[in-house]
Structure formats: C-alpha cells, structure tokens
Amino acid sequence: MNITLKEIAELTSGELEGDAAKTITGAAGLADAVETDVSFLGNPKYGAQAAASKAGCLLLPKSAKGIAGVSANRIYVEDAQWAFAQVLDIIEKELLKPVPPAIDQRTQIHHEARLSPNLTIGPFTVIDRRAIIGEGTVIGPQCFIGFNSRIGKNCRIYPQVTIRENVVLGDRCVVHSGTVIGADGFGFSTDRKTGAHRKIPQIGKVVIEDDVEIGSNVSIDRATVGVTKIGAGTKIDNLVQIAHNVHVGRNCLIVSQVGIAGSTKVGDQVILGGQVGVVGHVNIGDGAILTAQTGVMSDIEPKSVMFGSPARPHREAMKLQALINKLPEIYEAVKSFRGKQKPEPEGDHAKTA
Amino acid sequence: MNITLKEIAELTSGELEGDAAKTITGAAGLADAVETDVSFLGNPKYGAQAAASKAGCLLLPKSAKGIAGVSANRIYVEDAQWAFAQVLDIIEKELLKPVPPAIDQRTQIHHEARLSPNLTIGPFTVIDRRAIIGEGTVIGPQCFIGFNSRIGKNCRIYPQVTIRENVVLGDRCVVHSGTVIGADGFGFSTDRKTGAHRKIPQIGKVVIEDDVEIGSNVSIDRATVGVTKIGAGTKIDNLVQIAHNVHVGRNCLIVSQVGIAGSTKVGDQVILGGQVGVVGHVNIGDGAILTAQTGVMSDIEPKSVMFGSPARPHREAMKLQALINKLPEIYEAVKSFRGKQKPEPEGDHAKTA
Amino acid sequence: MNITLKEIAELTSGELEGDAAKTITGAAGLADAVETDVSFLGNPKYGAQAAASKAGCLLLPKSAKGIAGVSANRIYVEDAQWAFAQVLDIIEKELLKPVPPAIDQRTQIHHEARLSPNLTIGPFTVIDRRAIIGEGTVIGPQCFIGFNSRIGKNCRIYPQVTIRENVVLGDRCVVHSGTVIGADGFGFSTDRKTGAHRKIPQIGKVVIEDDVEIGSNVSIDRATVGVTKIGAGTKIDNLVQIAHNVHVGRNCLIVSQVGIAGSTKVGDQVILGGQVGVVGHVNIGDGAILTAQTGVMSDIEPKSVMFGSPARPHREAMKLQALINKLPEIYEAVKSFRGKQKPEPEGDHAKTA
C-alpha cells in the first residue's frame, strides 16, 4: 500500500487535518504503529495510548475534534473503526491477490451437482449429488458439500468445512475451517426399561441466511424435523454450538464457545458473550445482551442485559457479587448478634415470666 | 411418505382413534404441523400447543387418553416420542436413498489394512497400515483411520473424522464430522529448574464400545498408558472434551461442550448437561445428573442431582441461589442491627457495670 | 520392550534397590500394572495405590526412600513422572516404528512452495504458494498449509490441520488434528443506523514460537493487524479458543476449552485451568494460576491464584463459598433478629419516650 492522507480522507469520507501529501504504507494498532502507519482511536478510553502512539496519521471520531497531544495528522470520520477497516480492505486486496476462478482437477463433483459460473473449488473437495453452488463462490480445499445442499452467491468456504445434506446457505456467507453444518441433532428417546438411548432420526434442515459469517470449529446441527435457522447478518465466532431446531435472529453476535440448546429462539440484534450457555426451549428477546459465561435457564426479556449463572439482570448480579464480598462482614455481624442473644436465652425469660 | 393412520398405528403398536383411512405425508413439531402431518405430544406441559396444533394426527401417551381439545385423529402409544421417531425413520429412508456399498478410487488404503465386505469408503479417505474395518461400515470422504485401529460392523463415520492409531470402535457406532479420536493426551512433566514442560509420551489406547454416538468436533484423547474408554450405548454431543484415561460408563448422555479431565471415572446412565466441567481423578456415581454449567471438583454420589460451580446438590444450590437473591435484604437487616447496637456500645455497658 | 531394572536405572539416572536383572516388558499406572510392568509414584497422596500395585518395579522420588509396603524393586529418581516418561519414550519408538521421510504422490504442492529435505507429507495435503516447510517436519494427510506460511524444523502436524496464510510456526511444534490456525479474527464494525455488522478485514499474522504443542480442534485466530502470538514452550489442550491479537507468553499451560478474548496478554508460566474464560484487553501476570471455570474480567496480578466467575483470589473465593453454604443459617439469624425487633417497634419506643 502506498496512499496519501488526502486519499485516505477521500476513501473514508473524512475531514483531514495535517499534511495531505504525506504517504502511508501500512496500518497498525495504536501501540504498534510507526511513522508510516495509519491507526485509529475507536474508544475514548484509549486516549492515553493515542497520545503515546507513533502513528503517522490517526483516524478519529468527529467527537474528538481538537483533542490535544495526539498526532498532528488527523482524519475525522463518522466511525473511526469502520474507516480503519476501509484502509485494511485496501491492504488485504494487495496481500492476497485474487486468483482467477478455477475448479481444481482433483475434486470429486457429482454429475448431478449444479455449478454456476465463476466458481473456485479447491483440491480434494467433494460436491455431492444435487448440490447447487452459486456464482462467484469460493470453496477451499478438502471441503464436503452434501446431497441437495445449496450454497448462495459469492460465499467463501475455507478449507476443511463439512456441510451435510439439505443445508441452505444464503449469499455472501463466510464459513471458516473445521466447521460442521448439518450434523445430526442430539436426539434420543430413552427406553425406560433398559435405559438404552434410541436414536431419533434427524431429518430436518439447516437454513443460513445471507451475510452470515461462521467461525472455525463451529457445530450447527440439523433440525429433528423443520429447520435450524441462522438469521441474515448474524456473526458467529469459533467453537460455538447451535443445537437442532434453534432459531437465531438477524444481526446477532455470538461470541466464541457459546452453546445454545435445542429449540431455543434467539431474537434479532442479540449479543451472546463468550462461553454463554442457553438451555433448550427458551426465548431470548430482541436486543438482549448476555455477558460472558452467563447461564440462561428461562426466557430473557428484550433489551435486557444479563450476567451470571443462573442469569440475573447485570446491575442486580453486580450488586449481589458486591454483597457476596461482604459475606465475611455479614457473618461476623450475625455471630455478634447471636452472641448478644446468648445472655438472654429463652429459658431465662421463662424463669422471669 | 404416504401412509395411513392405520399403518402408523401398526408401525407404532398404537391404539387408533379417528379416521383409519386418512393419509399422512409428513411429520412435524406441534407448532409447524399441517393437516397432512403427524405430530406428537411427548410432554404434558405442551398440552396447549397440542390443542393449537393443526397436525392431521397426534401420537399421544396412553396416559393422555380422553384428552380434550386436540385433533380427533389420535394414536395412543407407550412412548409418544419413540413412536414419532419410528415415523421419522420411514421418512429418512426415503429422503436418503441408501447407495450400494462401494470403495472410492481416490482413497489411500494401505495394503496391510483389512477391509470386510460391503464397505463404503468415500473419496480422499486414508486407511492406514493394519487398520481393520468391519462389515457394512460406511466411512465418509476425507477421513483418516490410523495404524492398527479397528472399526466395528455397521458403523457410520461422517466426513472429515480423524481416528488415530490403536483406537477401537465397537459395532454400530456413529461418529460425526470434525471429531478427533486418539490424539495425544495433555501430559507434560514440568522441569522445576527451567519451567519447561517436557512431553510425556501418550502411548495408550482409546476403546469405544458398541452403539456409541459421538457428535461433531469432539476430542477424545488416547490414554497415557492403559485406555480411555467410552461405555456401550453412551451418546456424546458436539464439542465435548474427553481427556486421557477417562472412563465413561454405559448409556450416559454427555451434552455439548462438556469437559472431563484426565483419569476421571464416570458411571453408567450418567447425564452431564451442557458445558459441565469435571476435574481429573474423581468419580461420578451411576445415575448422577449434573445440570448445565456445573463444575465438579470432587466425587459425586450415585443418583445425585448437582448444580453450580462448585457443584452442590440441586435443591440446596437452588435454595442458596434464592438466598443470594435475599442478600440485599440480609445486608439491610445486618446494618440495621448494627445501627441498633451503636447506641449501646460495649463501652457503655462497661460504664453501667 | 524388554529391559532390565539395571537398564531402567541407567536410563533414568536412578538409584536401584532390588533385583537388577529383573526384566520389564511394559509400563502402566499403579492400579493397572502387572508383574512385568514398571509404574511410578508421582504424588505421595497415591501412596495407598502404590502399596496395592502389582507393578514389578516402582519409580519413586528420592523423598520416598524407605517407604514401606510397596514393591521391593524400586528405582529412586529426581522426578518419578519424568523417569516414567523416559520409559514410555522407548515403548513409543517400538510401537510406532518411524517410516522414512516421503512426500506422497497425491499431495498438491504449489511450485512456489519451498520444501526442505527429509520431509514427510501425507496424501491429500495441500501446500499453498510460497509456503516454507522446515527440515525433518512431518505433515499428516489432509492438511492445508496456506500462502506464505512457514513451518519450522522437526514439527509434527497431525491429519486434518488447517494453517491459513501468513502463519509462522517455530521448530519442534506439534499440532493435533482438527486444529485451525489463522482463521479470521472475530472483528466487525456495527453500523449504528442499520444494526448491520460490517467485516473488519483481518490481515495480521499468527506467530507460534518453538516447542509449542497445540491440541485437537483448537482455534487460534489471526490478528486484525499485527500478530497473535504463542510463546515458546507453551502447551495448549483441546478445543481452546485464542482470539485475534492475543499474546500468550512462554511455558504456559492452557487446559481444554479455555477461551481468551481479543488483545489479552497472558504472561509466562501461566496456568489456565479447563473452561477458563478471559475477556479481551486484559493482562494476566506471569505465573498466575486460574483454576477451572474461572471467569476473568480484569487484570490479574503475577503469581496470583484465582477461582470463580467473576474471578477472586482462590482463598477468598473458597471462604466465600463456605459462607454461601452458611446462608440458610445467616438468613435464619436475620429473621430471628427481626422477630426480636418486632416486640419493640419504633412506635413503642416513641410511646415510652
């Protein structure tokens, strides 16, 4: 990359302050940036780091106008993080020069599969019978796309992804390596006499809507009957478990190692923090935020912020944690109270009565 | 599927009430079912949903006989969920027409491997030296079966499974994609002088008994010496960790994201809820139930039901959670008590004494 | 294996007591060992098991000299576990006879990749453009090594590992099956107007230093910009999540199912127990120990031992857990206190005043 501040300001629709002709060749975080890098201040709490940064130019929110002590070369933008992302986009395109679409010779593509134009399919990938792959999609090496599954347009499937039968992916979806979509849900019927767990066939589907990104080593199970669904624009981090018949809404953020049990419904714009666990058959309302490690055992109201296992409203949970810290003090007081009581035991009263 | 109520009643050994000649073409949950679907009421708490269901026929437990307000077409059975599973089984067989057994040309099968008749082995799969595969087993594409491992009869190994050396699988086992069986246990000996962690060779085995099902992206490590063992009939959900030398009993249910640390022994018919963690070198008694997110640091009695981290008996844990909710009230009372005390401090008593 | 006690003593620099000519053919844990096995006592708390063991020879710490009731054939060593590991090493070499280095015909190796001598590369593995593989390294079947990545000398990459572009592995690293190194970090910029999460390109690297071992189904994400780093000698168990821009120090032990969120810095010789979760942008000091399931939301002091979610110093957390057990007693006392108060309500005082 070789870009002037003037060009960055244009790219990000920003307002430039400083040396418009200065050339930037890289991008970095505040702490790592050098004179030829652009960096950004996304959160005012990192103001001290911004002041200490050696970045040749800073992308700043408009609210930071006139901020003292940081680089003289500044570009004020609506959203500094997003402006930075736009610069990264340029660097990425240079780093990873796109290769022309091509289907490797060493794939196994069933003759009843339907391939659109402009596909890239890597070596040792298997496309099963009646699978349909949309235009412009890139499927990495060593992937498996099962019977009757349909991948939309301009998707990106990284190496070693398994997509089983009857799975639907929308357009512009990204699936990272090691992820398994459409494995059987965990459904067994226990024979009360023998204790044996008999398999309930899992014959439902998985539907992933447009613009969903799914991290690495994620497991999304097919429905028993009906559908397991991930709404458009939802982003799922690594090592997440989505059980059979779960419905996740639109634009959710599901952080790493979250587990959602069967048939639970998650609303739109929900944020599930790392390692959150949600039991089956409950509803998480739109806009709810469950902070990391929260354990949910019942319905969650829209827009609520929850913490803890079992989950409580965040403020309440924090207050209870503070009170738990006071338990030694509380217990001492209780002992002291009981000590006070002892000189006047019930028996004494009886005597005096 | 095209099946009459009379035929479903015969299939499920049920007692039919209603229109025996009515034809059913699908199966669905209570909420999604339409007039041509069969559905089921597995749990009386979904009675309202059953009443609202548009299903053309309901499978009901015998205990629900005479239930009002639900479909007039009813089949009373011993176990409604299992009856429903039997219908799903028919649909599944139609959906996924079995392909005749065949070994793909693009596998790598060592000439010292021993293959039984009637095998299916998918493309790009590797079967290493001295591996043995039992009759009727289906191994998907892109799998790895290591040196000296033995897979039983009629197993189903989905794509992209790694089974390392010296692993034994019984008959009728199912292993879902992304799962790794027999990777090295996490064993290191720390040099006290340098702090370096030196690898302890992990030369033990893994033995998986008959009828075990293992979800996707599961990790089951080989023993240091001896064996890591999963008992017959046990079912393991996705993203579960089974460490070296763990012994799991028969007919357990291990829900998603559970972690069991090294050398722990889990009894028979144990249920470990989602995200449960169990430390190493402890015993979980037969029939114990650990609810979701429970953290176990010591032995668990047979048939006990535990919750929380650290684990406590479920009733006790629930009671403590209720008391934690009362902490604000408790703390107010303690402050009030101390306020009361202040007018009569110890010193005053001393004076009056 | 066929080795005399004299030879084991020499191998482990131990002091032999007993029958020097006795032959040992295997190794086992205390409970499983038979007359022809060597076993070891690593921890004095297993003294009773050592006494009951049928092992033909015991490796014992020097501190156990003169211990009564255990096998008469003893070898006293500096570190009994490590001595045992040295015996296992011999057995392992016999079990898994090394095959001469060879590159399978059915790999896809880009002509711009740089391969050193003495490599083993398994079938169906893909080595992408400009990847560099160091001498003596073994890469299993069905692996993917991405553009411009560099694998050091004498590494061992097990089957079905994905290493994306611009990843660096040092020498003698071990990576187990199903692991994904270098997938995109979980970085999105949310459009405040639409709620859409827009992808922030993840163009950073991953650097894994020498002697790191990484378990199965682990996810280590690439940095947004800069580097995600794992320090030399650190050992990572299965199903662990390392987010973008995390820096882990040297000689850490990261147990199964741990999750470390973005940009967090973990010091040297840190131990993270199973299922520990650490939020982003915090520092874990050198030598800190976080016990299993701990949830960390802020910086952790060096050498501290923490437990619980939220994390508290271990002693304090244990004390608070004991006090939580006393909540029924505390609540009863509080009720009794309030009961006592009632006969003398404020109003009564007012009257008497």
Side-chain angles (χ1 to χ4, degrees), chain A residues 15 65 95 110 118 202 262 265 306 314 318 328:
Chain A
E15 187 185 327
K65 226 172 241 186
L95 267 180
H110 196 282
N118 299 318
Q202 304 289 308
K265 309 282 177 265
M306 308 293 285
H314 193 264
M318 284 296 142

Side-chain angles (χ1 to χ4, degrees), chain A residues 75-90:
Chain A
I75 299 173
Y76 296 106
V77 292
E78 206 64 58
D79 180 333
Q81 188 191 37
W82 179 237
F84 188 67
Q86 290 169 288
V87 177
L88 296 187
D89 203 43
I90 294 178

Side-chain angles (χ1 to χ4, degrees), chain B residues 42-205:
Chain B
N43 190 324
K45 79 171 175 181
Y46 296 115
Q49 276 180 253
S53 180
K54 297 195 173 65
C57 170
L58 281 184
L59 294 157
L60 295 165
K62 285 178 178 171
S63 60
K65 225 172 242 185
I67 185 175
V70 309
S71 165
N73 295 314
R74 301 150 175 216
I75 299 174
Y76 295 107
V77 292
E78 206 65 59
D79 180 333
Q81 188 192 36
W82 179 236
F84 188 67
Q86 290 169 286
V87 177
L88 296 186
D89 203 43
I90 293 179
I91 302 178
E92 187 178 45
K93 289 205 172 83
E94 291 185 6
L95 267 180
L96 302 174
K97 297 213 171 75
V99 271
I103 297 174
D104 195 275
Q105 296 284 324
R106 274 154 299 182
T107 54
Q108 150 116 345
I109 297 174
H110 196 281
H111 65 274
E112 288 181 49
R114 271 166 46 199
L115 305 187
S116 303
N118 300 319
L119 295 186
T120 298
I121 303 180
F124 315 125
T125 280
V126 174
I127 314 271
D128 211 345
R129 191 163 69 94
R130 296 201 194 163
I132 301 174
I133 317 291
E135 189 167 353
T137 282
V138 176
I139 299 179
Q142 303 148 332
C143 288
F144 176 82
I145 313 290
F147 165 70
N148 207 36
S149 283
R150 198 171 75 223
I151 315 292
K153 295 177 190 166
N154 298 311
C155 289
R156 173 94 208 203
I157 316 285
Y158 282 96
Q160 297 175 27
V161 166
T162 295
I163 296 178
R164 289 255 310 264
E165 69 277 7
N166 294 311
V167 171
V168 176
L169 258 79
D171 297 338
R172 298 172 303 279
C173 288
V174 177
V175 185
H176 289 282
S177 299
T179 282
V180 179
I181 304 177
D184 293 357
F186 193 64
F188 300 91
S189 171
T190 303
D191 184 323
R192 279 162 222 147
K193 286 168 209 152
T194 65
H197 307 296
R198 301 162 300 187
K199 185 170 180 78
I200 299 173
Q202 304 290 308
I203 64 173
K205 302 180 178 190

Side-chain angles (χ1 to χ4, degrees), chain A residues 189-198, chain B residues 250-251 269:
Chain A
S189 170
T190 303
D191 184 323
R192 279 163 223 147
K193 287 167 208 153
T194 65
H197 307 296
R198 302 163 299 188
Chain B
R250 296 166 60 93
N251 288 338
Q269 300 281 154

Side-chain angles (χ1 to χ4, degrees), chain B:
Chain B
M1 190 178 66
N2 219 309
I3 189 169
T4 64
L5 297 197
K6 183 165 178 289
E7 288 167 323
I8 294 178
E10 278 161 13
L11 172 76
T12 60
S13 308
E15 186 186 328
L16 173 65
E17 214 175 85
D19 178 3
K22 184 181 168 67
T23 295
I24 290 294
T25 59
L30 290 168
D32 299 330
V34 296
E35 180 56 32
T36 52
D37 286 333
V38 60
S39 191
F40 78 106
L41 177 63
N43 190 324
K45 79 171 175 181
Y46 296 115
Q49 276 180 253
S53 180
K54 297 195 173 65
C57 170
L58 281 184
L59 294 157
L60 295 165
K62 285 178 178 171
S63 60
K65 225 172 242 185
I67 185 175
V70 309
S71 165
N73 295 314
R74 301 150 175 216
I75 299 174
Y76 295 107
V77 292
E78 206 65 59
D79 180 333
Q81 188 192 36
W82 179 236
F84 188 67
Q86 290 169 286
V87 177
L88 296 186
D89 203 43
I90 293 179
I91 302 178
E92 187 178 45
K93 289 205 172 83
E94 291 185 6
L95 267 180
L96 302 174
K97 297 213 171 75
V99 271
I103 297 174
D104 195 275
Q105 296 284 324
R106 274 154 299 182
T107 54
Q108 150 116 345
I109 297 174
H110 196 281
H111 65 274
E112 288 181 49
R114 271 166 46 199
L115 305 187
S116 303
N118 300 319
L119 295 186
T120 298
I121 303 180
F124 315 125
T125 280
V126 174
I127 314 271
D128 211 345
R129 191 163 69 94
R130 296 201 194 163
I132 301 174
I133 317 291
E135 189 167 353
T137 282
V138 176
I139 299 179
Q142 303 148 332
C143 288
F144 176 82
I145 313 290
F147 165 70
N148 207 36
S149 283
R150 198 171 75 223
I151 315 292
K153 295 177 190 166
N154 298 311
C155 289
R156 173 94 208 203
I157 316 285
Y158 282 96
Q160 297 175 27
V161 166
T162 295
I163 296 178
R164 289 255 310 264
E165 69 277 7
N166 294 311
V167 171
V168 176
L169 258 79
D171 297 338
R172 298 172 303 279
C173 288
V174 177
V175 185
H176 289 282
S177 299
T179 282
V180 179
I181 304 177
D184 293 357
F186 193 64
F188 300 91
S189 171
T190 303
D191 184 323
R192 279 162 222 147
K193 286 168 209 152
T194 65
H197 307 296
R198 301 162 300 187
K199 185 170 180 78
I200 299 173
Q202 304 290 308
I203 64 173
K205 302 180 178 190
V206 180
V207 173
I208 314 274
E209 297 185 345
D210 295 343
D211 300 301
V212 169
E213 180 157 344
I214 301 171
S216 63
N217 290 324
V218 168
S219 292
I220 301 178
D221 282 352
R222 72 177 49 257
T224 309
V225 285
V227 69
T228 303
K229 189 174 149 188
I230 311 292
T234 284
K235 313 296 182 185
I236 298 176
D237 201 353
N238 306 330
L239 292 159
V240 165
Q241 152 75 355
I242 309 279
H244 49 181
N245 293 84
V246 165
H247 290 197
V248 175
R250 296 166 60 93
N251 288 338
C252 294
L253 293 174
I254 301 183
V255 180
S256 179
Q257 296 176 323
V258 163
I260 307 178
S263 300
T264 278
K265 308 283 178 263
V266 177
D268 297 337
Q269 300 281 154
V270 168
I271 299 176
L272 304 183
Q275 298 183 335
V276 160
V278 184
V279 298
H281 296 273
V282 300
N283 293 290
I284 313 289
D286 291 348
I289 297 175
L290 309 185
T291 61
Q293 290 193 329
T294 290
V296 172
M297 300 196 289
S298 52
D299 289 357
I300 299 293
E301 291 294 307
K303 304 215 172 183
S304 46
V305 181
M306 308 293 285
F307 172 71
S309 177
R312 293 184 173 91
H314 193 263
R315 269 177 84 100
E316 188 188 309
M318 284 296 141
K319 194 177 162 192
L320 292 180
Q321 288 298 331
L323 287 171
I324 284 172
N325 286 335
K326 287 188 195 297
L327 273 174
E329 177 193 334
I330 290 170
Y331 191 58
E332 282 311 308
V334 161
K335 279 198 295 188
S336 141
F337 160 64
R338 287 194 302 207
K340 284 268 176 316
Q341 280 190 297
K342 275 194 191 136
E344 310 168 32
E346 295 269 309
D348 281 13
H349 285 282
K351 269 179 212 167
T352 58

Side-chain angles (χ1 to χ4, degrees), chain C residues 271-345:
Chain C
I271 299 176
L272 304 183
Q275 299 183 335
V276 160
V278 184
V279 298
H281 297 273
V282 299
N283 293 290
I284 312 289
D286 291 348
I289 298 174
L290 309 186
T291 61
Q293 290 193 329
T294 291
V296 172
M297 300 196 289
S298 52
D299 289 356
I300 299 293
E301 291 294 307
K303 305 215 171 185
S304 46
V305 181
M306 307 294 284
F307 172 70
S309 177
R312 293 183 174 91
H314 193 264
R315 269 177 85 100
E316 188 189 310
M318 284 296 142
K319 194 178 165 192
L320 293 180
Q321 288 298 332
L323 287 171
I324 284 171
N325 287 335
K326 287 189 195 295
L327 273 174
E329 176 192 335
I330 290 170
Y331 191 59
E332 282 311 307
V334 161
K335 278 198 294 189
S336 141
F337 160 64
R338 286 193 303 209
K340 284 269 176 314
Q341 281 190 296
K342 273 192 191 137
E344 309 169 31

Side-chain angles (χ1 to χ4, degrees), chain C residues 8-16 62 75-78:
Chain C
I8 295 177
E10 277 161 14
L11 173 76
T12 60
S13 308
E15 187 186 328
L16 173 64
K62 287 178 177 171
I75 299 172
Y76 295 107
V77 292
E78 206 64 61

